[in-house]
Amino acid sequence: MTKVAIIGVGYSGYAPLTPHMSFKEMMFEASKRAYTDAGINPRTDVGSFICCEEDLWEGISITDEYVPDQLGGAQRAVCTVSDDGLVGLINGYMQIKSGLTDVVVVESHSKLSNVLSQGDVTRMSFEPYYERPFLTAETAVALEMRRYMFERELDDDIPAMVVAKNKKNGLGNPRAPYSAILSMDEVLSSPMVCEPLRKAHIPEPADGCSVTVLASEEKARILVDQPVWIRGVGWFSDTPWVSQRDFSKAVYAEGSSKMAYKMAGVNTPAKHFDFIEVDDSYGYKELQHLEALGVYTKENIKRAVEVGETDLRGPLPVNPSGGKISLGDMVEANGLVRVVEAVLTLRGQGPRSLRGAKHALVQSWRGPPTASGSTVILEV
Amino acid sequence: MESKKTLPGTPITGAEWENEVYSFRKHSVQLRYAWDAGSAVSGFLEGLKEGRILGRRCNRCMRVLVPPRAFCERCFRSTDEWVEVKDTGKINTYSVSYVNNDASRRDKPLIVAVIEIDGASPGMGFLHVLGEVEPSKVHVDMKVKAVWKPRDERVGAITDIKYFKPLEV
Ligand SMILES: [Zn+2]
């Protein structure tokens, strides 16, 4: 079976507001960049197009009807995956792996600035009989955060250090609108939303579009000098009931990474990667995810943060892009946004200190109140 | 001989429904959006406010796209220039509708039509309604013309055109 590579990436938006363009125009801009990057013409060289989005975030049902034109996919094979962008990437990977086609485009975007009732959309996803009367997105998060911090005996300063680190990492990334120099004290004195969750822990909403072009090994070698290989993929769902979860660990991240490690033959994840992009929502999620990925343990995760092991210049940089904390929350696009960042870094177009990096992991979480997510292992 | 049997099912009375005899949970949502129209749609809506119908031309396939788009979906490239087209056209297809969205009966039928706009490329145009015409008189390929709202009532919406009416020749 053929190997599968990412041969082109493109992006557009990545800002709190994008009033100058419609979601279609944003997708056109991002995909044009990706096709130029890959050296392809979408009208003749692409076998299949995949978009990842959720109708309630779009405000249009059956959104897939509205996506082909701006991707170059008019009157071609187009489908929508109603999930995080990484799931779309994995679908594209499978389409190539199975021999169905040899070039696939995967797109995902957010126009969160256009959703005036974001809280209501999230509320729609809560279990309606037992849980919806009591929850908001923030309480769902805070309940898990409290238990995780209790189990690991973490003080408030640890998630705050993660937030400060990722805000700072973003300053080196021209695509990260929410990057900043933020002290731990500033995080800890930001308004309390619901204990122990503070405003500064919460990723800010952003608009943006990410596009990747995937190709079979044969095509990739003809088209580009620097293909980035997808070596393993995994996806996993834990229970939908907030009240039934093991808050001490990210079961979905554990499950999806095990699947990806098996495929890629990764036996010692703690030593395998040059950098990692994980979902870093609320600071503590980064830690919970790193544990679930087997990169750190519940015994050494706290120390890793305290001594700066995951800093940009530490032995294992985590979220060199600035993560969701700096890039913003782009809902279903979050996973694909981070793939674009990882690909650029693996090609030497990311932080200078990571030039020469060969192995990367990208993990995504579908956001509150879900307990599902995916993992992709990339290599140059 | 009885050839068909009606299966009785389990009927629910209006009173049972209203008194919530059966288990269910109600949840009503308020979903609100404000979509960025973007450059192409904005230009079109601004044109309507001025009583003009605008399209965009792609200088590769030379099509005039109405309503306008920022990109040509056939050539996959940005469109090149604004083109003012006429406010006349011909009916591609139409339907006389006797019901509203909620299936209630209309007092007066609504004639919905796809109108190919003069000056746009073949097959290009938009959906609108017809007025000043008897349903029985409408036909495919009928020539029509826009009837605009007065200038001070136009807000930059497709409804700035009240309806299309038969073009007298
Ligand atoms: Zn064209």
Side-chain angles (χ1 to χ4, degrees):
Chain A
M1 267 199 288
T2 179
K3 291 206 286 183
V4 179
I6 299 172
I7 61 163
V9 293
Y11 51 85
S12 175
Y14 289 25
L17 302 168
T18 51
H20 57 297
M21 50 186 173
S22 66
F23 82 96
K24 290 183 180 178
E25 290 162 3
M26 190 170 71
M27 287 170 69
F28 177 68
E29 187 173 280
S31 56
K32 205 164 49 172
R33 282 192 175 135
Y35 304 151
T36 306
D37 189 35
I40 59 159
N41 175 350
R43 304 300 293 142
T44 51
D45 303 335
V46 176
S48 156
F49 300 81
I50 300 171
C51 297
C52 303
E53 61 214 344
E54 157 63 52
D55 287 356
L56 287 174
W57 289 126
E58 302 293 321
I60 310 173
S61 359
I62 325 180
T63 325
D64 43 337
E65 289 293 302
Y66 296 89
V67 300
D69 290 7
Q70 59 271 27
L71 287 176
Q75 300 186 333
R76 307 288 297 285
V78 182
C79 73
T80 287
V81 172
S82 184
D83 208 320
D84 175 73
L86 266 199
V87 179
L89 187 91
I90 294 169
N91 273 266
Y93 169 90
M94 292 191 285
Q95 289 186 9
I96 294 173
K97 207 75 176 157
S98 63
L100 193 65
T101 180
D102 51 11
V103 179
V104 176
V105 169
V106 183
E107 182 274 349
S108 191
H109 64 266
S110 153
K111 261 284 191 181
L112 262 187
S113 69
N114 289 186
V115 186
L116 303 182
S117 49
Q118 292 175 19
D120 262 321
V121 173
T122 308
R123 254 167 72 72
M124 285 286 281
S125 61
F126 296 137
E127 196 288 326
Y129 304 104
Y130 305 123
E131 300 187 342
R132 199 176 291 182
F134 311 112
L135 282 179
T136 63
E138 292 76 22
T139 44
V141 167
L143 291 167
E144 181 182 81
M145 186 174 181
R146 167 92 70 197
R147 183 74 204 192
Y148 174 72
M149 289 173 67
F150 168 79
E151 298 244 353
R152 298 293 177 272
E153 298 178 356
L154 301 181
D155 293 327
D156 288 343
D157 56 339
I158 298 293
M161 286 174 86
V162 175
V163 169
K165 167 182 76 78
N166 292 356
K167 283 270 186 196
K168 189 178 164 194
N169 284 358
L171 281 174
N173 183 351
R175 290 170 295 280
Y178 293 110
S179 53
I181 295 290
L182 197 67
S183 70
M184 249 172 58
D185 286 345
E186 284 170 302
V187 177
L188 293 176
S189 59
S190 82
M192 187 61 84
V193 176
C194 48
E195 296 175 1
L197 186 70
R198 292 179 183 275
K199 187 166 186 304
H201 291 124
I202 303 173
E204 302 273 357
D207 294 354
C209 176
S210 297
V211 175
T212 57
V213 181
L214 314 187
S216 64
E217 180 172 13
E218 196 187 357
K219 277 276 180 188
R221 295 211 188 274
I222 295 168
L223 287 165
V224 294
D225 298 330
Q226 271 187 310
V228 173
W229 304 103
I230 302 175
R231 299 307 308 273
V233 300
W235 65 101
F236 200 92
S237 288
D238 191 11
T239 176
W241 291 7
V242 171
S243 63
Q244 307 297 310
R245 289 178 190 161
D246 178 353
F247 297 117
S248 71
K249 63 176 184 178
V251 175
Y252 52 92
E254 190 178 276
S256 69
S257 62
K258 273 189 178 155
M259 183 173 167
Y261 291 156
K262 193 176 167 199
M263 206 177 291
V266 173
N267 300 314
T268 48
K271 296 203 174 95
H272 188 85
F273 302 104
D274 297 311
F275 70 95
I276 289 178
E277 290 281 336
V278 292
D279 186 287
D280 54 327
S281 306
Y282 325 111
Y284 84 94
K285 273 279 179 196
E286 176 169 310
L287 311 177
Q288 198 195 32
H289 289 148
L290 289 172
E291 276 182 44
L293 299 175
V295 175
Y296 285 101
T297 63
K298 60 184 178 187
E299 288 80 20
N300 67 14
I301 186 71
K302 183 178 170 185
R303 194 182 137 67
V305 176
E306 283 172 337
V307 304
E309 281 189 31
T310 57
D311 288 0
L312 189 53
R313 287 168 198 285
L316 181 57
V318 175
N319 292 325
S321 68
K324 204 194 269 185
I325 299 278
S326 267
L327 285 156
D329 182 1
M330 297 188 231
V331 283
E332 304 297 27
N334 285 323
L336 213 58
V337 166
R338 309 295 277 285
V339 167
V340 170
E341 294 300 320
V343 166
L344 292 172
T345 300
L346 286 168
R347 288 183 188 166
Q349 294 162 284
R352 206 171 294 128
S353 56
L354 284 171
R355 298 223 172 120
K358 293 203 164 349
H359 301 279
L361 179 147
V362 180
Q363 177 268 342
S364 77
W365 165 56
R366 213 183 164 194
T370 78
S372 59
S374 314
T375 303
V376 171
I377 296 168
L378 303 175
E379 185 181 296
V380 283
Chain B
M1 200 182 81
E2 199 181 47
S3 63
K4 273 191 205 163
K5 271 190 178 163
T6 305
L7 296 173
T10 309
I12 297 174
T13 66
E16 283 172 326
W17 178 258
E18 271 153 33
N19 296 325
E20 303 191 8
V21 169
Y22 301 96
S23 296
F24 59 85
R25 217 191 94 70
K26 287 180 187 166
H27 177 84
S28 52
V29 280
Q30 268 206 324
L31 297 174
R32 290 176 297 117
Y33 305 88
W35 299 291
D36 296 320
S39 65
V41 175
S42 298
F44 182 68
L45 298 179
E46 288 300 315
L48 292 177
K49 217 191 265 184
E50 296 162 15
R52 304 194 299 157
I53 298 175
L54 298 177
R56 290 279 296 174
R57 177 163 37 231
C58 168
N59 283 345
R60 183 168 299 166
C61 65
M62 294 312 287
R63 288 186 308 155
V64 174
L65 311 177
V66 178
R69 287 139 236 197
F71 45 83
C72 172
E73 83 282 9
R74 282 199 194 157
C75 306
F76 196 71
R77 60 190 291 278
S78 300
T79 49
D80 300 277
E81 54 197 321
W82 290 100
V83 181
E84 183 173 353
V85 293
K86 295 199 170 137
D87 70 348
T88 57
K90 65 175 184 181
I91 294 173
N92 172 307
T93 183
Y94 70 98
S95 175
V96 183
S97 175
Y98 299 94
V99 290
N100 290 307
N101 242 338
D102 62 359
S104 60
R105 212 74 194 160
R106 293 182 62 86
D107 296 334
K108 198 177 152 222
L110 184 74
I111 315 172
V112 181
V114 171
I115 295 152
E116 294 180 13
I117 297 293
D118 292 332
S121 289
M124 287 277 166
F126 45 81
L127 197 71
H128 221 287
V129 292
L130 304 182
E132 296 182 42
V133 61
E134 281 306 309
S136 60
K137 297 278 193 287
V138 181
H139 59 86
V140 165
D141 286 343
M142 181 184 235
K143 293 288 224 173
V144 290
K145 180 173 170 55
V147 175
W148 297 84
K149 283 183 181 168
R151 194 185 174 93
D152 58 353
E153 286 175 28
R154 296 202 289 259
V155 295
I158 192 74
T159 44
D160 287 352
I161 297 172
K162 278 203 281 195
Y163 51 79
F164 281 77
K165 67 170 186 183
L167 181 71
E168 339 267 330
V169 272

